[in-house]
Amino acid sequence: MGTGGVALVAAAVAVVVVTRLWTVLLHLVWRPYAVARAFARQGVRGPPYRVFVGNSKEVQAMRAATSGDTLDLTSHDYIPRVMPQYRAWMSLYGKVFLTWSSSTPALFVGSYDMVKRVLSDKSGLYGKPNPGPTILSLMGMGLAFTNGDDWSRHRRVVHPAFAMDKLKSMTGAMAACAAEVIRAWEARAAASGDGEGVTVEVGHQFTELTADVISHTAFGSSYRQGKEVFLAQRELQFIAFASINSVRVPGMQYVPTKANVRRWQLERTVRGTLMAIIGERLAAAKEARGYGSDLLGLMLEANAAGDDGGNRQQAMSMDEIIDECKTFFFAGHDTTSHLLTWAMFLLGTHPEWQQRLREEVIRECGGAEVPLRGDALNKFKLVSPLHLKLIKLASAKQVYIRTVIACERACASQPCSYVVSQVTMVLYETLRLYGAVPMIARQATADADLCGVKVPKGTLLLIPIAMLHRDEEVWGADAGAFNPLRFRDGMGRAAAHPNALLSFSLGPRSCIGQDFAMLEAKATLALILRRFAFEVAPEYVHAPVDFLTLQPSKGLPVVLKLLDV
């Protein structure tokens, strides 16, 4: 190649390099500052953008400064410990402000009106952001992260499996799994023999229990293989947590680092196990033995119905089915285990509520010797002391009807609710104070106008559920206190803003498994309350941590005392 040829190649390379550098400068420098100025003109400000890292250094510093903090048992305000940066920035910039995730603008949305607009959108304007490779390894590209037509197609296939009539038939499996754990607790309590009770770290126990429940209800006779998925996902959760707060470098997911290599190994394990389970079901269906009555079987049956209907575009592929299995397996056990853990904490520190729930459970479900049935869990009622006295006098159906009429007349000024049980109220209040996910995110798929704020395409929208649940303007002056009675008239009327409880999200993308979680939590609590009185152990350290889901940093030791039955 002559001198002229070399010069031509060098010039071409220089053009490519300069073009790339210009693109990088636009992305990392010009656009962030332009976006910040555009928001500032609308009165929306926030911490200053720093090239490439965004606000990550400030976040890390503030979290490090509060990581050693602990709370009093009567305090439920973990925000300064878990989300210190948002508490600090809200005090400076108000309920709506701009932050930066690397070079991506992230609008903090602390206004219920704006949140409702985002979560209720049906046009796809506010989609789920890409969670990154480590989270996808853990949960898959299932309902939690798909958007648009893919989300609609997935939901059509998955939704039938979570219909309430199907879930009620799973109560037996839920109760059987919980009964095994409770028998082990009974044996330990009986062996102690000193009447002082036995200390059990229930957080770990609930993690194992809910993994057993989802293994049985999702995979039926293949539950042992399901437990293999659980073990692999637990390790993937550690890997995901380690990477979630780091600056995302493009292409790093392909570099064979120690964490990436292990992640790839675990992904292969999960995929291989799920493919084997699904393969067995498909083979059984071909032999006319059906897909099974568990969650996986119901999902495969709905998927086959779409395929047999001649509309293959509506059916899910094998990879998509595997991703949905990852999603409902992780979400189905992790969030429920922490709901149970925090409910035990709140009941263990509020013995008066623990006794109220125990009386309700025994009244509606019978004593410890009576098997727990799914229909009994739906009979929980909120009954005042006067009404309870009247109902106890009723001995025949006709008398019962007259008693109900008398109850309604007795509190005509404030009608008695026969819808929301005390167990349900406590679980709602647990979700409000200690919901599994303190914050969720959406991303603008196009330029948008959000309640008068112009939001450019690609902007993340951060919805701080934990902070919204403590907003005194919405929940009242006791927003920071444990008060289940705020839900006595139902979830929709518990606060100044309708449907203010966001633990299962809101709108078309609300959690499809919320009935499953509530049913499992009710069944487990009912079995525990009938057999034990409990209190939080003295050695418990109240220091919640956001480990992808909110949980006690050092577990929850509880002193269990057998009840006389």
Side-chain angles (χ1 to χ4, degrees):
M1 181 183 295
T3 304
V6 172
L8 187 61
V9 170
V13 170
V15 169
V16 171
V17 169
V18 169
T19 301
R20 292 294 297 170
L21 285 174
W22 178 247
T23 302
V24 169
L25 284 172
L26 285 175
H27 182 71
L28 295 180
V29 180
W30 182 84
R31 185 176 184 275
Y33 286 113
V35 168
R37 285 195 299 271
F39 273 112
R41 286 194 294 269
Q42 303 177 76
V44 178
R45 293 176 172 79
Y49 167 72
R50 300 184 188 282
V51 176
F52 189 67
V53 298
N55 297 132
S56 61
K57 288 187 177 180
E58 297 102 302
V59 171
Q60 290 168 3
M62 283 189 268
R63 285 184 172 174
T66 61
S67 61
D69 294 352
T70 58
L71 304 178
D72 184 83
L73 291 186
T74 60
S75 173
H76 309 298
D77 186 15
Y78 62 78
I79 306 301
R81 172 182 164 79
V82 174
M83 309 164 73
Q85 70 277 27
Y86 298 119
R87 173 66 62 82
W89 290 335
M90 181 182 282
S91 67
L92 292 173
Y93 306 111
K95 289 186 175 182
V96 179
F97 56 85
L98 183 66
T99 71
W100 295 91
S101 175
S102 187
S103 59
T104 302
L107 187 67
F108 181 93
V109 183
S111 159
Y112 262 103
D113 290 332
M114 296 175 78
V115 167
K116 184 177 180 180
R117 179 79 63 86
V118 172
L119 297 181
S120 300
D121 175 71
K122 297 180 181 180
S123 67
L125 183 58
Y126 306 107
K128 290 289 189 80
N130 185 337
T134 55
I135 298 295
L136 288 179
S137 296
L138 174 65
M139 295 185 64
M141 186 58 83
L143 270 177
F145 299 121
T146 51
N147 288 302
D149 292 340
D150 283 340
W151 176 80
S152 299
R153 183 166 49 85
H154 281 231
R155 188 173 177 87
R156 182 195 63 79
V157 172
V158 175
H159 185 265
F162 290 92
M164 182 53 78
D165 60 323
K166 301 292 194 304
L167 295 180
K168 285 180 183 177
S169 66
M170 300 175 187
T171 306
M174 294 175 179
C177 291
E180 284 190 30
V181 174
I182 289 171
R183 280 193 293 270
W185 292 357
E186 289 174 340
R188 290 181 59 182
S192 67
D194 56 8
E196 297 299 319
V198 61
T199 300
V200 174
E201 199 289 281
V202 296
H204 177 72
Q205 296 272 298
F206 285 144
T207 298
E208 294 285 341
L209 166 61
T210 54
D212 278 339
V213 169
I214 197 67
S215 295
H216 280 83
T217 56
F219 301 119
S221 60
S222 306
Y223 73 92
R224 288 188 178 85
Q225 293 165 284
K227 287 300 289 290
E228 293 177 15
V229 175
F230 160 71
L231 294 173
Q233 283 193 320
R234 289 298 290 173
E235 191 171 347
L236 282 168
Q237 185 176 2
F238 281 97
I239 295 173
F241 180 74
S243 67
I244 197 168
N245 293 316
S246 60
V247 177
R248 191 182 299 179
V249 180
M252 276 301 294
Q253 67 267 36
Y254 305 113
V255 178
T257 62
K258 183 179 179 180
N260 280 344
V261 169
R262 182 57 180 158
R263 174 168 61 84
W264 298 333
Q265 291 172 342
L266 293 168
E267 279 187 278
R268 287 194 293 271
T269 298
V270 171
R271 179 180 172 79
T273 303
L274 292 174
M275 282 192 68
I277 296 172
I278 294 168
E280 291 173 3
R281 299 299 181 88
L282 296 176
K286 286 184 178 179
E287 297 173 6
R289 288 186 282 125
Y291 293 99
S293 58
D294 50 29
L295 292 176
L296 175 60
L298 294 169
M299 184 171 69
L300 290 173
E301 184 178 359
N303 194 54
D307 200 357
D308 294 342
N311 191 355
R312 287 185 171 271
Q313 291 182 345
Q314 293 300 311
M316 294 198 303
S317 67
M318 175 66 81
D319 285 341
E320 289 174 318
I321 292 172
I322 289 172
D323 280 347
E324 287 300 344
C325 287
K326 289 182 183 180
T327 296
F328 67 62
F329 195 90
F330 177 77
H333 87 265
D334 193 74
T335 54
T336 310
S337 71
H338 300 314
L339 171 58
L340 285 167
T341 299
W342 290 118
M344 288 287 283
F345 165 73
L346 290 168
L347 292 174
T349 52
H350 294 82
E352 73 285 0
W353 271 99
Q354 183 182 147
Q355 183 58 28
R356 290 173 72 162
L357 264 62
R358 182 175 294 111
E359 291 172 358
E360 180 181 67
V361 166
I362 293 173
R363 183 176 69 244
E364 299 297 346
C365 301
E369 74 285 354
V370 180
L372 193 65
R373 303 185 314 277
D375 57 345
L377 297 176
N378 293 317
K379 293 197 304 181
F380 290 143
K381 304 174 182 69
L382 173 61
V383 185
S384 70
L386 170 62
H387 298 170
L388 182 58
K389 184 177 180 180
L390 290 171
I391 288 172
K392 284 180 177 178
L393 296 175
S395 57
K397 183 176 180 182
Q398 292 82 359
V399 178
Y400 178 78
I401 292 172
R402 290 199 298 271
T403 302
V404 171
I405 294 172
C407 288
E408 292 174 346
R409 287 174 178 170
C411 61
S413 60
Q414 186 176 359
C416 175
S417 170
Y418 286 90
V419 178
V420 182
S421 73
Q422 294 177 99
V423 171
T424 302
M425 287 192 293
V426 166
L427 288 174
Y428 283 163
E429 185 71 340
T430 302
L431 289 166
R432 186 183 73 86
L433 292 173
Y434 294 97
V437 184
M439 176 173 282
I440 59 176
R442 295 291 187 268
Q443 190 165 30
T445 58
D447 291 345
D449 186 315
L450 180 57
C451 297
V453 176
K454 298 189 184 308
V455 179
K457 177 182 178 180
T459 301
L460 292 173
L461 301 165
L462 306 179
I463 300 173
I465 293 175
M467 298 178 74
L468 289 164
H469 283 173
R470 287 159 174 78
D471 189 336
E472 293 186 359
E473 293 180 6
V474 176
W475 293 95
D478 68 342
F482 174 70
N483 177 19
L485 285 174
R486 71 178 80 247
F487 290 101
R488 61 183 174 270
D489 295 322
M491 186 190 301
R493 299 169 64 186
H497 198 289
N499 300 311
L501 187 69
L502 301 172
S503 302
F504 291 119
S505 191
L506 184 71
R509 301 208 58 158
S510 60
C511 176
I512 197 172
Q514 57 185 288
D515 290 335
F516 181 96
M518 290 293 286
L519 189 63
E520 182 181 355
K522 288 179 182 179
T524 304
L525 280 181
L527 291 171
I528 293 171
L529 288 163
R530 295 194 305 184
R531 201 69 185 96
F532 296 99
F534 53 89
E535 60 187 27
V536 174
E539 61 265 31
Y540 169 68
V541 177
H542 193 30
V545 62
D546 183 8
F547 183 61
L548 295 187
T549 48
L550 188 77
Q551 50 199 273
S553 61
K554 301 182 186 301
L556 177 62
V558 168
V559 179
L560 299 169
K561 297 180 182 179
L562 274 170
L563 294 170
D564 294 328
V565 294

